Amino acid sequence: MLLTCGCAKGCMLASSSSVLRRQHFLVRSLCLGGGGNRKGLNDIRSMACDSEAENVLRAIAPPLDQRKVAIVGGCREYTGAPYFAAISALKIGADLSHVFCTKDAAPVIKSYSPELIVHPVLEESYNIKDEEKERISGKVLAEIDKWLERFDCLVVGPGLGRDPFLLGCVGQIMSHARQRNVPIVVDGDGLFLITDNPDLVSGYQLAVLTPNINEYKRLVKKVLNCEVNDQDAHQELQLLAKQIGGVTIMRKGKSDLISDGDIVKSVSQYGSPRRCGGQGDILSGSVAVFVSWAHQHSSGAGVDSTSQMNPTVMGCMAGSILLRKAALLAFASKRRSTLTSDIIELLGRSLEEISPAC
């Protein structure tokens, strides 16, 4: 369990804050110093404030391994998010990355990359008549059921949208995945679905929720019936995860807080001061791969520092530290023009620096 001593927690938070302030100062100096100022970057990267997260990543990442990940998301309005999640999984080491999206989104997502396997099977309300909904819902589920057992992890939510019929189908997909013990990472509009229907993941310890601050506020209001208390963030997150039956929740922020209801972990490595849309999608795809690796590691682990840790917590820690390192490298090169695609291109290099493939 997390230390509950007020003094101990205060010291931990104070230490984390001082590290973040130092990292922010170094990044600011790097920006002011021009493109040739590599010393500032090296100083930031050498600050081992998240050695635990890096150790977890090294422990669970196999030299080379075949993992199959699926993204459930992508609609008329949103095609970038599922692509970012799916391609990030490939860049980290997934063998295959599938995207289950609406028919309107499929040609666009296919055009982004030939490496992705895109299934145009989801439907939105505007496209079907009321009397056809039951039949089409069954058809969607039957199509996805053919694939579910092949996947090592399912990511639900990137670019999903909030169409009621579509969300209803996705809720059933999650239930089917749960019956087959497929780990599920829920992000984006998937969290909108979960906030309205917490029972979809309640008690499922292979589920990971990755809310940003606004999504977290809605979840706290729904489950705990109160407002977010930043002064007691660790205990609140721990209680929230416990109330949803031991799911793992990663509260994204300046420091990513991760809890499964028993422990709370924090990843505070400084990333990029430039916040571009799509980084959460990178994280969801990354966490999917790391969660599947972590479960494999735990099933055959000997006695080491990670052998008793929840695999979903380990997967979240590894995904968080990798994204932050890749974002920092991207910002050092691109500065104000840093885009999500720049970060994705540096995922492989960042992973290799922490845990070489061979």
Side-chain angles (χ1 to χ4, degrees):
M1 297 290 286
L2 182 72
L3 286 172
T4 56
C5 167
C7 178
K9 186 179 77 171
C11 291
M12 178 176 65
L13 292 175
S15 174
S16 175
S17 297
S18 65
V19 168
L20 285 171
R21 284 196 298 271
R22 173 62 177 159
Q23 290 175 331
H24 189 274
F25 170 77
L26 289 170
V27 168
R28 181 66 176 167
S29 300
L30 176 64
C31 294
L32 295 175
N37 186 2
R38 295 297 173 193
K39 182 178 184 302
L41 175 61
N42 291 334
D43 286 345
I44 299 167
R45 294 171 65 188
S46 67
M47 295 181 72
C49 61
D50 280 304
S51 58
E52 182 183 24
E54 289 194 9
N55 289 337
V56 165
L57 190 156
R58 292 187 190 97
I60 66 177
L64 286 173
D65 182 62
Q66 294 183 352
R67 299 280 103 179
K68 295 174 177 61
V69 172
I71 315 299
V72 179
C75 63
R76 258 193 317 182
E77 292 86 357
Y78 307 115
T79 57
Y83 163 74
F84 289 145
I87 201 69
S88 296
L90 285 180
K91 290 286 186 177
I92 289 171
D95 180 40
L96 294 173
S97 195
H98 295 247
V99 178
F100 292 87
C101 60
T102 66
K103 294 176 181 177
D104 290 334
V108 182
I109 298 173
K110 283 176 180 286
S111 73
Y112 293 151
S113 173
E115 278 91 0
L116 304 182
I117 302 171
V118 182
H119 306 261
V121 299
L122 302 181
E123 296 280 5
E124 295 181 86
S125 299
Y126 75 90
N127 217 21
I128 55 177
K129 299 176 181 178
D130 288 343
E131 58 269 23
E132 296 179 329
K133 287 183 178 180
E134 185 175 350
R135 178 184 63 82
I136 291 177
S137 176
K139 183 179 178 181
V140 169
L141 287 170
E143 180 64 28
I144 294 180
D145 271 347
K146 294 189 300 186
W147 293 91
L148 270 181
E149 291 185 354
R150 308 183 193 188
F151 299 136
D152 298 292
C153 194
L154 199 67
V155 181
V156 175
L160 186 61
R162 297 184 179 182
D163 178 82
F165 177 75
L166 178 55
L167 290 178
C169 288
V170 171
Q172 294 181 67
I173 293 168
M174 293 178 67
S175 296
H176 285 217
R178 182 171 178 170
Q179 291 169 10
R180 291 164 175 76
N181 290 320
V182 178
I184 304 172
V185 178
V186 186
D187 188 47
D189 290 319
L191 291 166
F192 177 81
L193 173 62
I194 292 301
T195 301
D196 283 345
N197 303 277
D199 287 345
L200 286 172
V201 294
S202 181
Y204 189 50
Q205 297 183 3
L206 297 179
V208 178
L209 312 183
T210 59
N212 60 28
I213 184 59
N214 290 323
E215 292 160 345
Y216 183 75
K217 285 179 179 178
R218 289 193 289 267
L219 201 56
V220 168
K221 184 69 174 176
K222 173 72 174 185
V223 177
L224 301 182
N225 196 29
C226 65
E227 302 298 326
V228 170
N229 180 6
D230 289 325
Q231 299 302 314
D232 205 14
H234 288 67
Q235 274 70 25
E236 181 181 71
L237 177 63
Q238 190 172 6
L239 177 60
L240 179 63
K242 188 173 294 186
Q243 287 291 102
I244 310 179
V247 301
T248 296
I249 302 175
M250 174 163 29
R251 176 186 172 178
K252 297 180 289 194
K254 289 185 178 179
S255 293
D256 290 336
L257 298 181
I258 304 157
S259 180
D260 59 357
D262 289 331
I263 62 171
V264 179
K265 295 291 184 178
S266 175
V267 180
S268 301
Q269 165 75 40
Y270 198 88
S272 168
R274 157 91 166 121
R275 292 297 303 170
C276 49
Q279 291 187 55
D281 305 312
I282 298 176
L283 184 64
S284 64
S286 303
V287 168
V289 176
F290 282 121
V291 164
S292 66
W293 280 345
H295 280 285
Q296 180 187 38
H297 167 78
S298 295
S299 64
V303 179
D304 61 27
S305 60
T306 66
S307 60
Q308 301 303 314
M309 193 183 299
N310 185 336
T312 58
V313 173
M314 290 195 290
C316 288
M317 293 175 68
S320 175
I321 191 66
L322 182 67
L323 172 59
R324 287 166 178 265
K325 283 184 170 292
L328 178 61
L329 284 175
F331 179 76
S333 173
K334 300 290 186 175
R335 305 300 176 87
R336 293 181 187 273
S337 66
T338 302
L339 299 176
T340 300
S341 54
D342 299 318
I343 300 172
I344 290 172
E345 286 306 310
L346 289 167
L347 288 172
R349 172 181 164 185
S350 300
L351 178 57
E352 192 69 13
E353 287 182 358
I354 302 173
S355 179
C358 298

